Amino acid sequence: NKAEALSRLENDVELYQEIVVVFLEDTPLQMKNLGNALESKDDGASLRLAHSIKSAAGNIGATILRETAFKMESAARKGGAEGASQYW
């Protein structure tokens, strides 16, 4: 939800655009690393990466990605990488 993200940034469109650029640069690698962490059952990395992706998605208003990453983070806290992988 772009409108919510802009509201949190006091409608600073330029700042929002900068944040989106960073998101688009960083998130593909984080997603790849998360997939690798899930595959190798690395509980700590799965939790950290899901948390980072959740936060980054929230910052730009990417609601569906944020919600999915939140579910992964919560599942990783309870069941490690194996628990989080159900949302991959």
Side-chain angles (χ1 to χ4, degrees), residues 60-76:
I60 67 161
T63 306
I64 293 171
L65 178 57
R66 188 209 164 281
E67 289 173 359
T68 302
F70 173 77
K71 290 176 185 175
M72 292 182 81
E73 179 185 14
S74 297

Side-chain angles (χ1 to χ4, degrees), residues 34-35 37-39 41 46 71-72 75-76 79-88:
L34 177 57
L38 293 170
E39 186 176 316
K41 299 189 184 335
S46 297
K71 290 176 185 175
M72 292 182 81
E82 192 169 327
S85 65
Q86 67 183 310
Y87 298 102
W88 183 246

